[in-house]
Amino acid sequence: GRAPLTTGQTPTDTGGHRTTTMEAVEKALLRALDSSPDGSVANSLAFASSNGLDHKALCGAIRSLAASELVVSKELAEQRWVLTAEAQSYVDQGSSPEVQVFRAVLESMPNGITLTGLRGKVGPVAAGVGFKQAMQHKWVSLLKQDKPKPQQDADAVAQKAEKEEAQGEGGKKKKKEPKAEPLILAQREEVEDACLNLLRRPDLLSAKDAQALKKRKLVAQEKTACFSVSTFVCFTS
């Protein structure tokens, strides 16, 4: 059998000082190795994710323990999905752009809101992509409206008619009045932020969800170095 590793078996650096974070990570890893049936951790990325550890700190701990010959490690390479800066901003805000749009529209009910008004509420970026997604989900709808004609008194109407008659056939064409902006209306009372839920755990994305988020430029694939770790030599050349 193998001799159990105690949490006290942690190496020190040349200066004799260690950070509390590094000690905690090393102890967590040693405990996991000691309790594992085969004395190993197959993937440091998965271990860090499931134990709430920073992977960079864990890699540092693995290298340190391996240098002190307390563990044997093997470096691996793994492709993983990471958030883009835009996606991280939505995670930090606590809502995806489509939900930001939906909430702004819902607040405007029963009158609704124009796209110009929506941009003012959530910003042009969120309004653009969020409105498109909200429409696809059928959370909101568009209502076209006629532009109200300004009221004119009888004299003004008569003067306008006389002017148009004087111009005759050769007169300038009458300019078309700009159409009123359509109103955006909410079609639901509440929605689930499925996009945000996915962004919060990019390591658990399915292939379908990953491709959908990639198309929206919310995630990107990154090659990451990781380790498999054992308390004894179990790797073949």
Side-chain angles (χ1 to χ4, degrees):
R2 59 189 173 84
L5 289 172
T6 65
T7 56
Q9 288 180 269
T10 54
T12 58
D13 59 15
T14 54
H17 301 288
R18 300 189 53 78
T19 64
T20 303
T21 302
M22 182 64 77
E23 287 181 349
V25 172
E26 286 185 357
K27 288 178 179 179
L29 177 59
L30 291 174
R31 281 195 297 267
L33 289 171
D34 193 39
S35 61
S36 172
D38 61 356
S40 69
V41 168
N43 187 298
S44 59
L45 271 172
F47 180 78
S49 177
S50 61
N51 289 275
L53 301 174
D54 178 73
H55 187 248
K56 288 183 179 180
L58 178 59
C59 288
I62 291 170
R63 292 188 182 98
S64 178
L65 291 169
S68 298
E69 299 183 348
L70 291 175
V71 301
V72 176
S73 65
K74 182 178 181 179
E75 191 166 352
L76 310 170
E78 184 173 298
Q79 296 280 354
R80 65 168 182 163
W81 293 102
V82 295
L83 301 184
T84 62
E86 180 185 348
Q88 187 60 54
S89 71
Y90 299 142
V91 173
D92 294 341
Q93 292 176 50
S95 60
S96 64
E98 50 263 47
V99 169
Q100 292 178 43
V101 165
F102 173 77
R103 288 173 179 167
V105 174
L106 190 64
E107 288 175 2
S108 72
M109 295 300 287
N111 298 323
I113 189 172
T114 63
L115 190 55
T116 299
L118 183 63
R119 291 190 188 103
K121 283 270 189 179
V122 302
V125 176
V129 66
F131 172 66
K132 180 181 178 181
Q133 292 295 321
M135 284 289 288
Q136 288 180 358
H137 292 317
K138 297 183 179 180
W139 294 350
V140 300
S141 63
L142 276 179
L143 175 66
K144 293 183 179 180
Q145 55 177 343
D146 295 326
K147 187 176 181 66
K149 294 181 179 180
Q151 293 182 349
Q152 297 177 318
D153 56 33
D155 290 338
V157 172
Q159 289 175 6
K160 183 178 180 181
E162 289 176 3
K163 185 178 180 181
E164 289 177 351
E165 186 178 348
Q167 286 180 344
E169 295 294 329
K172 294 182 179 179
K173 291 183 179 180
K174 181 182 177 182
K175 291 184 178 179
K176 291 183 179 180
E177 292 185 358
K179 293 182 179 180
E181 270 196 273
L183 287 173
I184 307 171
L185 305 175
Q187 296 300 302
R188 299 188 184 185
E189 293 185 358
E190 59 180 287
V191 296
E192 180 185 357
D193 202 338
C195 177
L196 181 66
N197 293 336
L198 293 175
L199 294 178
R200 281 175 169 163
R201 291 303 304 269
D203 54 318
L204 299 179
L205 289 176
S206 68
K208 182 180 178 180
D209 289 333
Q211 289 303 318
L213 293 176
K214 181 184 178 183
K215 190 175 181 180
R216 291 179 60 180
K217 298 180 179 179
L218 295 178
V219 297
Q221 214 165 30
E222 179 181 86
K223 188 175 182 179
T224 305
C226 58
F227 293 92
S228 57
V229 192
S230 175
T231 53
F232 55 89
V233 178
C234 60
F235 303 115
T236 58
S237 57

